[in-house]
Amino acid sequence: LLTVWVGPLAMGAHYFVPYLVVNAHLTLITYLQHTDTYVPHWHEGEFTFLRGALATVDRSWGWLRDIAFHHIADSHVVHHLFSDMPFYHATKATEILSGWEEFQKYHLKDDTPIGVALLRSAQRCRVVPAGGSVCWYEDGNMTCLDPAVVKGQDAAGKTEEEADAPVSTQ
């Protein structure tokens, strides 16, 4: 009905174009929060709430976009850990948890520019095969481990030595 009054071009310019832009951003943000070469993918029997919550990435879009997006990208891990918490407390909760040594071991944070991160994920992250208990991407190929190997690892799929090393995002 609105189209008849204002015309199809105005309707497209004021409704459909902004709708597509917002949804493209939400899709891109969601993709980059859950997909990268170092994000573990847990299979049945090994997946737990904590492992799933920690298998997400905090990624800043720059101070202006972080504010405009209500910090949904740079405080995402906390959102998975405390999904009932109001979004306006997420940055403070991330700050508090970042000071905790145990959280630092498992927290996935990536400051790679968005375009570079998208290109890396699109090129190297293709498919999660069945089999093994935890999988992640390595040099464009998916590496999966069986349950016997995983037993000595933490929630993010790292051994104690690997958890102490900085995350490589390149």
Side-chain angles (χ1 to χ4, degrees), residues 9-117:
L9 289 178
M11 183 70 174
H14 296 290
Y15 178 75
F16 291 114
V17 170
Y19 178 82
L20 292 175
V21 169
V22 167
N23 281 289
H25 273 100
L26 288 174
T27 302
L28 181 58
I29 290 168
T30 303
Y31 176 72
L32 289 176
Q33 288 169 335
H34 300 97
T35 308
D36 213 320
T37 55
Y38 52 86
V39 175
H41 297 270
W42 299 95
H43 287 286
E44 188 176 345
E46 294 297 323
F47 179 85
T48 64
F49 171 80
L50 185 59
R51 284 178 169 171
L54 292 172
T56 58
V57 181
D58 281 345
R59 188 183 307 275
S60 177
W61 285 64
W63 69 270
L64 185 58
R65 283 189 181 156
D66 286 345
I67 292 169
F69 296 155
H70 302 286
H71 297 280
I72 63 172
D74 62 329
S75 61
H76 189 70
V77 174
V78 174
H79 157 75
H80 275 265
L81 292 170
F82 309 106
S83 58
D84 293 355
M85 179 176 49
F87 74 89
Y88 48 86
H89 290 309
T91 54
K92 185 66 174 171
T94 300
E95 261 180 57
I96 292 168
L97 285 176
S98 293
W100 185 40
E101 189 177 325
E102 285 300 307
F103 182 72
Q104 291 171 8
K105 286 183 185 179
Y106 310 114
H107 184 212
L108 299 177
K109 180 173 175 38
D110 192 349
D111 292 322
T112 304
I114 299 305
V116 174

Side-chain angles (χ1 to χ4, degrees), residues 118-158:
L118 176 62
L119 187 61
R120 178 181 61 215
S121 292
Q123 288 177 334
R124 297 183 185 169
C125 303
R126 298 293 176 147
V127 67
V128 178
S133 55
V134 61
C135 302
W136 64 91
Y137 298 96
E138 233 174 60
D139 300 322
N141 298 312
M142 180 60 81
T143 301
C144 296
L145 298 176
D146 63 27
V149 177
V150 175
K151 295 300 180 206
Q153 297 178 346
D154 65 22
K158 301 175 187 175

